[in-house]
Amino acid sequence: MRLRWYTVVLDSIDPTAQARWWAQALEGEVVFESAEEAVVIPGDLPPEIRERESVPAAEWHRTPPGLCFVAVPERKAVKNRLHLDLAPHLEDDREAQIERLIALGARRVDVGQDEDEVTWTVLADPEGNEFCVLSSRDS
């Protein structure tokens, strides 16, 4: 018996707006929206997985996690205890990806990192949730 990391759940003032932002940022797909909850799945899922109601266990276990945004009344108040790390491939332009995310509405944030010492960039989504863009890598 195995468990699969199914989704990351994030509290949100506006779940729909957050889901749409993250879907753009990650080139994913919003598959459910309501006032209380919105869900994003990875955009690069093969059609045979995305379009089937039932997926064999081997394929299901290899499917990357999604993001689920749930409505809460309070805004984010302190630094995240959990954050996402995003990484471009070595063949991708890391700085262009960072600028693309900023153009979508992310902003650079300082969580105490020394920009001259670290190999990542800390950004925040439109509701202030921090995430990192790591150095480019191929594994």
Side-chain angles (χ1 to χ4, degrees):
M1 178 180 351
R2 293 175 39 199
L3 291 175
R4 176 182 147 213
W5 175 8
Y6 190 74
T7 192
V8 175
V9 179
L10 295 109
D11 291 351
S12 180
I13 295 296
D14 186 343
T16 300
Q18 281 291 92
R20 289 178 183 172
W21 189 88
W22 278 98
Q24 281 189 298
L26 298 175
E27 297 178 20
E29 178 182 346
V30 177
V31 294
F32 178 80
E33 291 180 328
S34 76
E36 288 77 38
E37 179 180 11
V39 178
V40 175
I41 62 170
D44 57 356
L45 290 180
E48 61 271 14
I49 291 178
R50 188 179 352 188
E51 295 169 6
R52 291 201 316 219
E53 299 227 358
S54 178
V55 176
E59 292 177 40
W60 190 79
H61 281 288
R62 286 192 297 267
T63 303
L67 296 174
C68 178
F69 299 88
V70 295
V72 296
E74 68 278 352
R75 294 202 171 274
K76 180 182 170 300
V78 297
K79 181 180 173 294
N80 294 14
R81 299 237 2 222
L82 172 75
H83 69 267
L84 301 178
D85 281 348
L86 310 178
H89 189 269
L90 287 173
E91 295 176 6
D92 294 327
D93 183 340
R94 178 181 179 276
E95 292 305 316
Q97 286 292 341
I98 290 169
E99 292 308 314
R100 181 181 72 84
L101 293 167
I102 290 170
L104 289 174
R107 61 184 170 78
R108 293 178 186 268
V109 294
D110 182 353
V111 294
Q113 75 275 20
D114 182 346
E115 292 293 333
D116 295 327
E117 302 277 330
V118 300
T119 59
W120 61 86
T121 300
V122 183
L123 300 175
D125 71 16
E127 286 197 7
N129 298 299
E130 298 95 3
F131 64 96
C132 294
V133 178
L134 305 177
S135 59
S136 299
R137 48 198 69 201
D138 64 0
S139 62

